Amino acid sequence: MPVGGPIPIPTHLKLPHQRQPATRRIRRTWRSRKALTGVTQWILDWGLPMLATLGVLYLFAARAAGPDKVYRTFTLIVPPESVLLWIASLIGWLLVPAIIGGFAGHVIAQRISSVKAISTRTIFRRRTLVQRLRPPGLIDDLAGYFHGTHAQQGLADAWVRIAHRNDWARAQDHWEVFVRDLMSTQQYAHLDRHECLRQTQNTSLLVLTVAGTAGHCIVCERRR
């Protein structure tokens, strides 16, 4: 094989690593959030970072001017006297009402639009409180497919051995990216978070098995 030539396809599928780093599980958990919809996903994507930013601003402003001064400035009771308090005042004047108004408007609009938009997949189905609050599962770990069903073994062989030359880490990364982005498309927007993840992974299994058998990785090609 000449130097710099294509990597040959391995003849056998390599065993996956027994122990996965914690960072990969955290990454898989974070990417699985795309099964959520509406306000829930917005809270994770934007709400938590904004809350963390406000917390840091409050701590620095409270150390400089005192907690009572920050609160009174944030609620527009007294005028700001420093740069940090000016930022707190602008957030309390502009950002907080916009977020609360947008949140309330979204919830009301969703409830109104869903009155006559019940999916045939959910009709007559009983949903308990536990089912409503239960978070979605995680995107599958391909290591579990090594001893899985025939379809799962076929995906592992095509996607890992052929398309990624037995590179389990890169195959897992691109599998997660494909499932995550597919969950964000419009055709899965009407599904609840559990059905969204399930159907997306079933579709991904079929598509990536065919692509992997031909030696193609859609994610690799898009990232070139």
Side-chain angles (χ1 to χ4, degrees), residues 210-221:
V210 175
T213 303
H216 298 298
C217 171
I218 300 173
V219 180
C220 290
E221 294 175 356

Side-chain angles (χ1 to χ4, degrees), residues 13-146:
L13 179 62
K14 185 176 66 174
L15 279 169
H17 296 291
Q18 296 297 323
R19 309 188 75 178
Q20 298 292 336
T23 53
R24 291 189 187 175
R25 183 173 178 82
I26 295 174
R27 182 192 69 187
R28 190 155 56 97
T29 303
W30 178 247
R31 288 173 172 173
S32 300
R33 79 192 189 281
K34 289 300 182 180
L36 302 170
T37 57
V39 175
T40 312
Q41 188 179 138
W42 182 90
I43 290 175
L44 292 177
D45 284 345
W46 294 99
L48 293 182
M50 291 171 63
L51 183 62
T53 302
L54 287 176
V56 172
L57 173 64
Y58 176 83
L59 289 177
F60 279 97
R63 291 182 60 183
D68 181 68
K69 188 72 171 179
V70 177
Y71 171 77
R72 292 168 65 85
T73 304
F74 184 78
T75 54
L76 308 180
I77 297 176
V78 297
E81 298 175 355
S82 64
V83 175
L84 291 176
L85 292 180
W86 267 106
I87 297 175
S89 177
L90 288 175
I91 292 175
W93 180 42
L94 296 175
L95 189 60
V96 174
I99 293 176
I100 295 175
F103 184 90
H106 173 80
V107 172
I108 294 172
Q110 285 291 102
R111 297 307 302 171
I112 292 175
S113 63
S114 62
V115 170
K116 291 293 185 179
I118 300 177
S119 173
T120 54
R121 295 184 180 89
T122 60
I123 193 169
F124 308 132
R125 183 182 298 177
R126 177 182 295 174
R127 294 185 63 195
T128 64
L129 181 62
V130 175
Q131 291 174 323
R132 292 177 182 273
L133 299 179
R134 182 166 57 93
L138 300 181
I139 298 174
D140 288 345
D141 187 351
L142 291 180
Y145 285 12
F146 190 87

